Amino acid sequence: MIDTIISSVRLFANIMYILIFVRFILSWISMGRPSQLLGIIYSLTEPLLAPIRRLLDKSPLGGPGMMLDFSPIILLFFIRISENAIIIFLGALR
């Protein structure tokens, strides 16, 4: 049972990693018109990226003058830390 939960956590983290990475790459590519796939990727990742972006806007690292959006990098970092913490916790329950 715990192995199934651990596998699910890893799968979710990997899917989110892929979605965020694809969004990051697609943000550099100018697409003529919005696609349905891009809309799905944005709708799945924006709820996680928006709070981080708001926090960065208030910090010395962010603000309206910043040319780079560091929120995907920070989110990837937090996803990996959360995944490892959950797996360690569940591994201790075995």
Side-chain angles (χ1 to χ4, degrees):
M1 175 71 172
I2 291 179
D3 290 331
T4 305
I5 297 171
I6 289 174
S7 295
S8 299
V9 167
R10 284 191 175 134
L11 177 64
F12 176 75
N14 288 335
I15 289 171
M16 290 308 299
Y17 248 70
I18 291 168
L19 289 173
I20 293 165
F21 186 74
V22 168
R23 178 178 171 160
F24 176 75
I25 296 299
L26 290 177
S27 71
W28 288 30
I29 300 171
S30 175
M31 301 180 83
R33 58 187 170 94
S35 67
Q36 188 174 5
L37 177 62
L38 188 60
I40 292 170
I41 291 172
Y42 271 68
S43 67
L44 292 173
T45 56
E46 188 60 27
L48 299 172
L49 289 169
I52 296 170
R53 203 173 293 121
R54 281 193 302 269
L55 287 173
L56 283 175
D57 284 344
K58 296 175 184 175
S59 77
L61 294 175
M66 287 299 294
M67 295 190 62
L68 292 175
D69 182 10
F70 290 105
S71 60
I73 296 167
I74 294 170
L75 180 58
L76 292 174
F77 179 72
F78 281 125
I79 288 172
R80 188 61 68 197
I81 288 175
S82 301
E83 173 191 10
N84 289 336
I86 291 169
I87 289 172
I88 289 170
F89 175 75
L90 292 173
L93 294 178
R94 287 186 194 175

